[in-house]
Amino acid sequence: TEINNNNLTKVLFAGSPAVVNAGYTMSGYSSWTTMNFTTERVDIGNIHNGGIFTVPATGLYSFFGDISLRLSSTNGNSKAFGARIFNSTSTTVLAISYYGTGAGGAQGDMPLYWMGNLTAGDQIQIQYRMRADNSSTLSTATVSNITVRKHF
């Protein structure tokens, strides 16, 4: 439909995070943590700063990518990794994805996708968390990525 209507899509941001390590103590979920995409391949209009994407103009946007988390240990039987797209202006979860593993395992990859209307000035964050039955170190992986598009 977009092609038939001569609609345009413009990539505003594409990037990956640096590796961030944080200690995890079992057994509840860790707090949601904002991912900072420090490797910016494209950042038109400087919409990303310190893990926050500021919407430049009211309209239709899409966010898509993959969040990859790693643990320092395969010990334990149950782990769950989560990632979400969060509108911190309206405190609304726009999309959420979980990956669970049992009998070991030390990593999880969560695809993220959302498309919808946003208002100029809205602040969007990509966040992650995890839960496991043993303590270890949680790390973000540089293969994680996010792309933000504006649809006209």
Side-chain angles (χ1 to χ4, degrees), residues 74-100:
T74 58
N75 293 338
N77 294 314
S78 177
K79 299 173 183 84
F81 303 91
R84 70 182 184 178
I85 303 171
F86 182 70
N87 185 330
S88 61
T89 303
S90 65
T91 64
T92 303
V93 175
L94 303 177
I96 195 164
S97 180
Y98 278 96
Y99 175 83

PDB file of all heavy atoms in Angstrom, residues 74-100:
ATOM      1  N   THR A  74      26.749 -20.607  32.495  1.00  0.00           N
ATOM      2  CA  THR A  74      25.665 -21.465  32.015  1.00  0.00           C
ATOM      3  C   THR A  74      25.035 -22.235  33.165  1.00  0.00           C
ATOM      4  O   THR A  74      24.133 -23.046  32.948  1.00  0.00           O
ATOM      5  CB  THR A  74      26.173 -22.476  30.962  1.00  0.00           C
ATOM      6  OG1 THR A  74      27.207 -23.258  31.562  1.00  0.00           O
ATOM      7  CG2 THR A  74      26.684 -21.763  29.726  1.00  0.00           C
ATOM      8  N   ASN A  75      25.511 -22.008  34.397  1.00  0.00           N
ATOM      9  CA  ASN A  75      24.948 -22.701  35.564  1.00  0.00           C
ATOM     10  C   ASN A  75      23.474 -22.352  35.717  1.00  0.00           C
ATOM     11  O   ASN A  75      23.021 -21.299  35.298  1.00  0.00           O
ATOM     12  CB  ASN A  75      25.691 -22.309  36.844  1.00  0.00           C
ATOM     13  CG  ASN A  75      27.115 -22.812  36.847  1.00  0.00           C
ATOM     14  OD1 ASN A  75      27.449 -23.760  36.145  1.00  0.00           O
ATOM     15  ND2 ASN A  75      27.958 -22.170  37.636  1.00  0.00           N
ATOM     16  N   GLY A  76      22.743 -23.240  36.342  1.00  0.00           N
ATOM     17  CA  GLY A  76      21.329 -22.999  36.593  1.00  0.00           C
ATOM     18  C   GLY A  76      20.466 -23.660  35.547  1.00  0.00           C
ATOM     19  O   GLY A  76      20.935 -24.132  34.512  1.00  0.00           O
ATOM     20  N   ASN A  77      19.183 -23.694  35.835  1.00  0.00           N
ATOM     21  CA  ASN A  77      18.246 -24.386  34.960  1.00  0.00           C
ATOM     22  C   ASN A  77      17.249 -23.476  34.274  1.00  0.00           C
ATOM     23  O   ASN A  77      16.609 -23.890  33.328  1.00  0.00           O
ATOM     24  CB  ASN A  77      17.469 -25.433  35.776  1.00  0.00           C
ATOM     25  CG  ASN A  77      18.376 -26.526  36.252  1.00  0.00           C
ATOM     26  OD1 ASN A  77      19.187 -27.037  35.493  1.00  0.00           O
ATOM     27  ND2 ASN A  77      18.245 -26.882  37.517  1.00  0.00           N
ATOM     28  N   SER A  78      17.085 -22.266  34.747  1.00  0.00           N
ATOM     29  CA  SER A  78      16.014 -21.434  34.222  1.00  0.00           C
ATOM     30  C   SER A  78      16.484 -19.990  34.083  1.00  0.00           C
ATOM     31  O   SER A  78      16.934 -19.389  35.060  1.00  0.00           O
ATOM     32  CB  SER A  78      14.814 -21.508  35.167  1.00  0.00           C
ATOM     33  OG  SER A  78      13.795 -20.666  34.740  1.00  0.00           O
ATOM     34  N   LYS A  79      16.357 -19.457  32.861  1.00  0.00           N
ATOM     35  CA  LYS A  79      16.727 -18.062  32.610  1.00  0.00           C
ATOM     36  C   LYS A  79      15.700 -17.442  31.675  1.00  0.00           C
ATOM     37  O   LYS A  79      15.172 -18.108  30.785  1.00  0.00           O
ATOM     38  CB  LYS A  79      18.115 -17.990  31.969  1.00  0.00           C
ATOM     39  CG  LYS A  79      19.207 -18.567  32.847  1.00  0.00           C
ATOM     40  CD  LYS A  79      20.522 -18.636  32.116  1.00  0.00           C
ATOM     41  CE  LYS A  79      21.569 -19.271  32.987  1.00  0.00           C
ATOM     42  NZ  LYS A  79      21.546 -20.721  32.944  1.00  0.00           N
ATOM     43  N   ALA A  80      15.426 -16.181  31.872  1.00  0.00           N
ATOM     44  CA  ALA A  80      14.530 -15.445  30.986  1.00  0.00           C
ATOM     45  C   ALA A  80      15.144 -14.083  30.710  1.00  0.00           C
ATOM     46  O   ALA A  80      15.612 -13.403  31.622  1.00  0.00           O
ATOM     47  CB  ALA A  80      13.151 -15.287  31.621  1.00  0.00           C
ATOM     48  N   PHE A  81      15.157 -13.710  29.443  1.00  0.00           N
ATOM     49  CA  PHE A  81      15.677 -12.418  29.009  1.00  0.00           C
ATOM     50  C   PHE A  81      14.519 -11.635  28.406  1.00  0.00           C
ATOM     51  O   PHE A  81      13.687 -12.195  27.705  1.00  0.00           O
ATOM     52  CB  PHE A  81      16.763 -12.600  27.953  1.00  0.00           C
ATOM     53  CG  PHE A  81      17.920 -13.448  28.390  1.00  0.00           C
ATOM     54  CD1 PHE A  81      17.922 -14.808  28.169  1.00  0.00           C
ATOM     55  CD2 PHE A  81      19.001 -12.874  29.032  1.00  0.00           C
ATOM     56  CE1 PHE A  81      18.984 -15.595  28.565  1.00  0.00           C
ATOM     57  CE2 PHE A  81      20.076 -13.646  29.437  1.00  0.00           C
ATOM     58  CZ  PHE A  81      20.065 -15.017  29.206  1.00  0.00           C
ATOM     59  N   GLY A  82      14.474 -10.343  28.650  1.00  0.00           N
ATOM     60  CA  GLY A  82      13.401  -9.518  28.113  1.00  0.00           C
ATOM     61  C   GLY A  82      13.934  -8.240  27.485  1.00  0.00           C
ATOM     62  O   GLY A  82      14.961  -7.716  27.902  1.00  0.00           O
ATOM     63  N   ALA A  83      13.226  -7.755  26.478  1.00  0.00           N
ATOM     64  CA  ALA A  83      13.545  -6.480  25.841  1.00  0.00           C
ATOM     65  C   ALA A  83      12.223  -5.798  25.483  1.00  0.00           C
ATOM     66  O   ALA A  83      11.229  -6.468  25.207  1.00  0.00           O
ATOM     67  CB  ALA A  83      14.389  -6.697  24.592  1.00  0.00           C
ATOM     68  N   ARG A  84      12.233  -4.479  25.529  1.00  0.00           N
ATOM     69  CA  ARG A  84      11.007  -3.755  25.195  1.00  0.00           C
ATOM     70  C   ARG A  84      11.317  -2.401  24.573  1.00  0.00           C
ATOM     71  O   ARG A  84      12.409  -1.849  24.759  1.00  0.00           O
ATOM     72  CB  ARG A  84      10.127  -3.574  26.423  1.00  0.00           C
ATOM     73  CG  ARG A  84      10.657  -2.600  27.462  1.00  0.00           C
ATOM     74  CD  ARG A  84       9.735  -2.529  28.659  1.00  0.00           C
ATOM     75  NE  ARG A  84      10.168  -1.525  29.628  1.00  0.00           N
ATOM     76  CZ  ARG A  84       9.512  -1.240  30.742  1.00  0.00           C
ATOM     77  NH1 ARG A  84       8.386  -1.882  31.036  1.00  0.00           N
ATOM     78  NH2 ARG A  84       9.955  -0.310  31.571  1.00  0.00           N
ATOM     79  N   ILE A  85      10.331  -1.889  23.857  1.00  0.00           N
ATOM     80  CA  ILE A  85      10.345  -0.520  23.351  1.00  0.00           C
ATOM     81  C   ILE A  85       9.394   0.246  24.259  1.00  0.00           C
ATOM     82  O   ILE A  85       8.221  -0.114  24.389  1.00  0.00           O
ATOM     83  CB  ILE A  85       9.892  -0.465  21.883  1.00  0.00           C
ATOM     84  CG1 ILE A  85      10.779  -1.362  21.009  1.00  0.00           C
ATOM     85  CG2 ILE A  85       9.906   0.983  21.385  1.00  0.00           C
ATOM     86  CD1 ILE A  85      10.274  -1.541  19.592  1.00  0.00           C
ATOM     87  N   PHE A  86       9.914   1.284  24.902  1.00  0.00           N
ATOM     88  CA  PHE A  86       9.179   1.973  25.960  1.00  0.00           C
ATOM     89  C   PHE A  86       9.078   3.458  25.664  1.00  0.00           C
ATOM     90  O   PHE A  86      10.085   4.126  25.412  1.00  0.00           O
ATOM     91  CB  PHE A  86       9.910   1.748  27.290  1.00  0.00           C
ATOM     92  CG  PHE A  86       9.237   2.355  28.475  1.00  0.00           C
ATOM     93  CD1 PHE A  86       8.040   1.847  28.949  1.00  0.00           C
ATOM     94  CD2 PHE A  86       9.814   3.425  29.142  1.00  0.00           C
ATOM     95  CE1 PHE A  86       7.415   2.400  30.068  1.00  0.00           C
ATOM     96  CE2 PHE A  86       9.197   3.987  30.259  1.00  0.00           C
ATOM     97  CZ  PHE A  86       8.003   3.472  30.718  1.00  0.00           C
ATOM     98  N   ASN A  87       7.860   3.996  25.672  1.00  0.00           N
ATOM     99  CA  ASN A  87       7.646   5.431  25.535  1.00  0.00           C
ATOM    100  C   ASN A  87       7.694   6.023  26.937  1.00  0.00           C
ATOM    101  O   ASN A  87       6.735   5.896  27.710  1.00  0.00           O
ATOM    102  CB  ASN A  87       6.294   5.715  24.863  1.00  0.00           C
ATOM    103  CG  ASN A  87       6.070   7.186  24.596  1.00  0.00           C
ATOM    104  OD1 ASN A  87       6.565   8.043  25.319  1.00  0.00           O
ATOM    105  ND2 ASN A  87       5.297   7.486  23.560  1.00  0.00           N
ATOM    106  N   SER A  88       8.822   6.626  27.287  1.00  0.00           N
ATOM    107  CA  SER A  88       8.981   7.152  28.652  1.00  0.00           C
ATOM    108  C   SER A  88       8.188   8.439  28.861  1.00  0.00           C
ATOM    109  O   SER A  88       7.938   8.822  30.004  1.00  0.00           O
ATOM    110  CB  SER A  88      10.462   7.369  28.984  1.00  0.00           C
ATOM    111  OG  SER A  88      11.043   8.299  28.108  1.00  0.00           O
ATOM    112  N   THR A  89       7.752   9.092  27.799  1.00  0.00           N
ATOM    113  CA  THR A  89       6.926  10.288  27.929  1.00  0.00           C
ATOM    114  C   THR A  89       5.541   9.920  28.440  1.00  0.00           C
ATOM    115  O   THR A  89       5.010  10.551  29.355  1.00  0.00           O
ATOM    116  CB  THR A  89       6.833  11.026  26.582  1.00  0.00           C
ATOM    117  OG1 THR A  89       8.154  11.347  26.137  1.00  0.00           O
ATOM    118  CG2 THR A  89       6.005  12.293  26.701  1.00  0.00           C
ATOM    119  N   SER A  90       4.958   8.877  27.863  1.00  0.00           N
ATOM    120  CA  SER A  90       3.612   8.455  28.260  1.00  0.00           C
ATOM    121  C   SER A  90       3.631   7.233  29.183  1.00  0.00           C
ATOM    122  O   SER A  90       2.577   6.739  29.559  1.00  0.00           O
ATOM    123  CB  SER A  90       2.773   8.137  27.025  1.00  0.00           C
ATOM    124  OG  SER A  90       3.308   7.015  26.348  1.00  0.00           O
ATOM    125  N   THR A  91       4.817   6.755  29.537  1.00  0.00           N
ATOM    126  CA  THR A  91       5.031   5.527  30.329  1.00  0.00           C
ATOM    127  C   THR A  91       4.241   4.342  29.761  1.00  0.00           C
ATOM    128  O   THR A  91       3.594   3.600  30.479  1.00  0.00           O
ATOM    129  CB  THR A  91       4.720   5.720  31.829  1.00  0.00           C
ATOM    130  OG1 THR A  91       3.331   6.020  31.996  1.00  0.00           O
ATOM    131  CG2 THR A  91       5.572   6.803  32.448  1.00  0.00           C
ATOM    132  N   THR A  92       4.359   4.185  28.441  1.00  0.00           N
ATOM    133  CA  THR A  92       3.650   3.130  27.732  1.00  0.00           C
ATOM    134  C   THR A  92       4.635   2.135  27.128  1.00  0.00           C
ATOM    135  O   THR A  92       5.593   2.547  26.458  1.00  0.00           O
ATOM    136  CB  THR A  92       2.794   3.733  26.595  1.00  0.00           C
ATOM    137  OG1 THR A  92       1.910   4.697  27.151  1.00  0.00           O
ATOM    138  CG2 THR A  92       2.002   2.670  25.869  1.00  0.00           C
ATOM    139  N   VAL A  93       4.397   0.850  27.337  1.00  0.00           N
ATOM    140  CA  VAL A  93       5.178  -0.184  26.671  1.00  0.00           C
ATOM    141  C   VAL A  93       4.602  -0.337  25.263  1.00  0.00           C
ATOM    142  O   VAL A  93       3.430  -0.664  25.091  1.00  0.00           O
ATOM    143  CB  VAL A  93       5.116  -1.522  27.433  1.00  0.00           C
ATOM    144  CG1 VAL A  93       5.837  -2.616  26.667  1.00  0.00           C
ATOM    145  CG2 VAL A  93       5.703  -1.365  28.831  1.00  0.00           C
ATOM    146  N   LEU A  94       5.435  -0.107  24.249  1.00  0.00           N
ATOM    147  CA  LEU A  94       4.991  -0.187  22.860  1.00  0.00           C
ATOM    148  C   LEU A  94       5.137  -1.601  22.307  1.00  0.00           C
ATOM    149  O   LEU A  94       4.321  -2.042  21.502  1.00  0.00           O
ATOM    150  CB  LEU A  94       5.770   0.805  22.004  1.00  0.00           C
ATOM    151  CG  LEU A  94       5.689   2.270  22.445  1.00  0.00           C
ATOM    152  CD1 LEU A  94       6.570   3.144  21.566  1.00  0.00           C
ATOM    153  CD2 LEU A  94       4.252   2.753  22.429  1.00  0.00           C
ATOM    154  N   ALA A  95       6.178  -2.303  22.726  1.00  0.00           N
ATOM    155  CA  ALA A  95       6.407  -3.682  22.289  1.00  0.00           C
ATOM    156  C   ALA A  95       7.296  -4.360  23.316  1.00  0.00           C
ATOM    157  O   ALA A  95       8.103  -3.706  23.981  1.00  0.00           O
ATOM    158  CB  ALA A  95       7.080  -3.711  20.918  1.00  0.00           C
ATOM    159  N   ILE A  96       7.124  -5.680  23.444  1.00  0.00           N
ATOM    160  CA  ILE A  96       7.928  -6.430  24.407  1.00  0.00           C
ATOM    161  C   ILE A  96       8.207  -7.818  23.843  1.00  0.00           C
ATOM    162  O   ILE A  96       7.379  -8.378  23.122  1.00  0.00           O
ATOM    163  CB  ILE A  96       7.225  -6.489  25.782  1.00  0.00           C
ATOM    164  CG1 ILE A  96       8.179  -6.923  26.880  1.00  0.00           C
ATOM    165  CG2 ILE A  96       5.988  -7.355  25.727  1.00  0.00           C
ATOM    166  CD1 ILE A  96       7.671  -6.626  28.277  1.00  0.00           C
ATOM    167  N   SER A  97       9.386  -8.333  24.148  1.00  0.00           N
ATOM    168  CA  SER A  97       9.786  -9.647  23.655  1.00  0.00           C
ATOM    169  C   SER A  97      10.586 -10.353  24.751  1.00  0.00           C
ATOM    170  O   SER A  97      11.439  -9.733  25.384  1.00  0.00           O
ATOM    171  CB  SER A  97      10.637  -9.483  22.389  1.00  0.00           C
ATOM    172  OG  SER A  97      11.046 -10.725  21.875  1.00  0.00           O
ATOM    173  N   TYR A  98      10.290 -11.631  24.973  1.00  0.00           N
ATOM    174  CA  TYR A  98      11.014 -12.427  25.966  1.00  0.00           C
ATOM    175  C   TYR A  98      11.599 -13.668  25.322  1.00  0.00           C
ATOM    176  O   TYR A  98      11.058 -14.193  24.345  1.00  0.00           O
ATOM    177  CB  TYR A  98      10.078 -12.864  27.101  1.00  0.00           C
ATOM    178  CG  TYR A  98       9.881 -11.812  28.147  1.00  0.00           C
ATOM    179  CD1 TYR A  98       8.787 -10.961  28.103  1.00  0.00           C
ATOM    180  CD2 TYR A  98      10.792 -11.666  29.189  1.00  0.00           C
ATOM    181  CE1 TYR A  98       8.591  -9.986  29.065  1.00  0.00           C
ATOM    182  CE2 TYR A  98      10.608 -10.693  30.159  1.00  0.00           C
ATOM    183  CZ  TYR A  98       9.509  -9.860  30.091  1.00  0.00           C
ATOM    184  OH  TYR A  98       9.330  -8.899  31.042  1.00  0.00           O
ATOM    185  N   TYR A  99      12.704 -14.127  25.887  1.00  0.00           N
ATOM    186  CA  TYR A  99      13.323 -15.382  25.478  1.00  0.00           C
ATOM    187  C   TYR A  99      13.667 -16.157  26.747  1.00  0.00           C
ATOM    188  O   TYR A  99      14.316 -15.621  27.642  1.00  0.00           O
ATOM    189  CB  TYR A  99      14.595 -15.118  24.669  1.00  0.00           C
ATOM    190  CG  TYR A  99      15.343 -16.372  24.315  1.00  0.00           C
ATOM    191  CD1 TYR A  99      14.967 -17.133  23.217  1.00  0.00           C
ATOM    192  CD2 TYR A  99      16.411 -16.812  25.090  1.00  0.00           C
ATOM    193  CE1 TYR A  99      15.638 -18.301  22.895  1.00  0.00           C
ATOM    194  CE2 TYR A  99      17.087 -17.981  24.772  1.00  0.00           C
ATOM    195  CZ  TYR A  99      16.696 -18.713  23.672  1.00  0.00           C
ATOM    196  OH  TYR A  99      17.350 -19.862  23.356  1.00  0.00           O
ATOM    197  N   GLY A 100      13.238 -17.386  26.823  1.00  0.00           N
ATOM    198  CA  GLY A 100      13.525 -18.216  27.986  1.00  0.00           C
ATOM    199  C   GLY A 100      14.355 -19.415  27.606  1.00  0.00           C
ATOM    200  O   GLY A 100      14.288 -19.919  26.486  1.00  0.00           O
TER     201      GLY A 100
END
